[in-house]
Amino acid sequence: MNISSLLERPLNQSDGILRLLEQTKITEEEHIRQRMQAFYEEHTFPGYDGIDSPSVLMDKAGKSGFGKWVDEAISPFATVLEVGCGTGQMTNFLGLVSTRTVIGTDQSIASLTLGQSFKEQFGLQNVHFVQANIFAMPFKPNSMDILICSGVLHHTPNPKKGFEELLKLVKPGGKILIGLYNTYARIPTGIRKSIFSCTGKTFRFLDSHMRRRDVDQSKKEIWFADQYKNPHESWHSVDEVLQWFDEKNVKFLSGVPSPSGSTHGQLFNEHPRGSTFEHILKQLGWMFTIGREGGLFVMVGEKKMPA
Ligand SMILES: C[S@@+](CC[C@H](N)C(=O)[O-])C[C@H]1O[C@@H](n2cnc3c(N)ncnc32)[C@H](O)[C@@H]1O
């Protein structure tokens, strides 16, 4: 598919990356956006390993589980938008299915450049990278089958509004995947952050990612900055996101990890929502599971057809 048919604004392209970044209209929010942009221009997250190739991306996705489940759930003919794609691993991975159109957007040009060079090196013609701001997106409403935004909205001044802006881009019947720091599961990271701020580098081994032998040092430094030196982050609960979904007529399909205790099936199959009590118990447990790796949870919903 030609990407210009999905855009509301004319193409403005250099070095293969479309430059369509516009400012956020509210001045205070724009200040935070600019700080975040400067941060991620310096810390390109998550970054590639020197040896990354399509087969390595597939291997990593298989090991992480989530990437593989997303890939399995998405049709080979879907139009997919990843918002806040960082260095574009997920975008490039999903684009390995050449019949999909996959677009990765981010405001950090340094991050997008890494994604673009992987795309060019491996000839992924159906993958496109676009510089854009979540709060001034250049795409037509109701144009995307799938929208993925993971690890991003909690770095914006108004995550709920960000979700609402992104939902506008999804077709009725399309799917939205939102990944956020969890209020409970992020507590261990908050404790580690306090320890690191008092003790410098001495106790960095308390973060399991920093102990990994299969990750090179420069990627570990980027992880550390992203997790512990980020200028702006917020934490969110399962019930909060369910409320966002309910207010905007989005049907809850599934969560990763599951917030209700139901076992995982297909991401786009409807799973039980669970009760608030179950969510609290689950999220307390997440402190000891996903809490070791930053405490990110993903909620998957379907934009309902208009009545
Ligand atoms: C922690 S990284 C996540 C990258 C990727 N989604 C992942 O999970 O590996 C957060 C990304 O969100 C981007 N971001 C933050 N605020 C944004 C905004 N207002 N518009 C577009 N991108 C934004 C940053 O530039 C950064 O690349």
Side-chain angles (χ1 to χ4, degrees):
M1 183 188 290
N2 187 337
I3 188 173
S4 58
S5 66
L6 298 166
L7 290 164
E8 282 198 315
R9 293 178 219 148
L11 292 183
N12 173 13
Q13 185 164 6
S14 63
D15 61 28
I17 300 169
L18 300 185
R19 315 283 172 130
L20 296 170
L21 184 76
E22 288 191 356
Q23 296 197 338
T24 304
K25 289 200 175 67
I26 300 166
T27 313
E28 266 173 45
E29 295 188 358
E30 173 58 15
H31 286 154
I32 296 177
R33 189 200 68 72
Q34 287 181 10
R35 279 177 70 202
M36 293 312 302
Q37 184 178 5
F39 180 82
Y40 282 108
E41 291 297 357
E42 188 183 349
H43 306 285
T44 50
F45 187 89
Y48 288 84
D49 289 318
I51 45 141
D52 276 353
S53 65
S55 59
V56 173
L57 283 194
M58 281 193 257
D59 193 42
K60 285 184 183 171
K63 282 187 189 140
S64 86
F66 179 66
K68 187 168 153 265
W69 297 330
V70 174
D71 186 46
E72 284 169 359
I74 297 178
S75 141
F77 303 103
T79 301
V80 183
L81 178 64
E82 192 196 0
V83 179
C85 65
T87 51
Q89 267 83 353
M90 177 68 102
T91 298
N92 279 323
F93 167 64
L94 295 175
L96 295 176
V97 176
S98 63
T99 44
R100 284 181 189 143
T101 299
V102 188
I103 303 159
T105 69
D106 203 283
Q107 60 182 2
S108 157
I109 276 291
S111 300
L112 292 169
T113 301
L114 293 176
Q116 176 74 14
S117 66
F118 185 98
K119 164 213 148 93
E120 284 172 9
Q121 191 182 350
F122 297 102
L124 307 180
Q125 311 233 353
N126 54 321
V127 170
H128 309 273
F129 286 101
V130 179
Q131 187 191 28
N133 171 12
I134 291 166
F135 297 91
M137 289 296 268
F139 301 98
K140 290 180 181 164
N142 304 320
S143 55
M144 303 296 163
D145 296 308
I146 312 287
L147 190 145
I148 302 166
C149 182
S150 182
V152 182
L153 288 175
H154 50 230
H155 294 308
T156 71
N158 194 340
K160 183 181 182 200
K161 187 169 150 217
F163 161 74
E164 291 170 359
E165 289 299 310
L166 297 180
L167 185 64
K168 290 178 190 164
L169 307 178
V170 179
K171 289 177 187 170
K175 311 293 187 287
I176 185 160
L177 292 81
I178 297 291
L180 293 164
Y181 287 150
N182 182 259
T183 313
Y184 301 75
R186 191 77 180 152
I187 290 172
T189 307
I191 295 170
R192 285 192 293 267
K193 187 174 179 176
S194 307
I195 295 173
F196 298 150
S197 69
C198 303
T199 58
K201 292 190 172 185
T202 320
F203 293 105
R204 279 186 174 202
F205 63 85
L206 292 175
D207 182 306
S208 63
H209 202 82
M210 300 305 283
R211 299 195 297 271
R212 282 175 62 170
R213 285 163 192 257
D214 58 334
V215 177
D216 68 37
Q217 193 56 32
S218 66
K219 275 189 76 177
K220 284 185 183 173
E221 293 301 330
I222 292 172
W223 165 265
F224 193 85
D226 181 61
Q227 294 293 307
Y228 301 106
K229 295 184 177 168
N230 212 299
H232 183 88
E233 71 173 61
S234 53
W235 300 359
H236 304 272
S237 70
V238 165
D239 282 277
E240 186 183 350
V241 180
L242 285 174
Q243 195 179 338
W244 298 358
F245 279 15
D246 292 343
E247 282 175 18
K248 288 288 155 191
N249 230 4
V250 172
K251 179 164 75 182
F252 168 76
L253 296 179
S254 64
V256 181
S258 165
S260 68
S262 66
T263 50
H264 270 299
Q266 276 269 334
L267 279 189
F268 296 164
N269 287 352
E270 194 174 351
H271 292 66
R273 275 169 76 115
S275 64
T276 299
F277 182 64
E278 280 173 315
H279 299 157
I280 292 171
L281 288 184
K282 273 276 160 195
Q283 292 171 106
L284 284 169
W286 289 354
M287 281 201 272
F288 308 99
T289 54
I290 55 169
R292 289 196 219 118
E293 284 276 339
L296 190 91
F297 72 116
V298 181
M299 299 283 274
V300 182
E302 178 179 306
K303 182 171 171 177
K304 290 188 194 161
M305 298 284 180

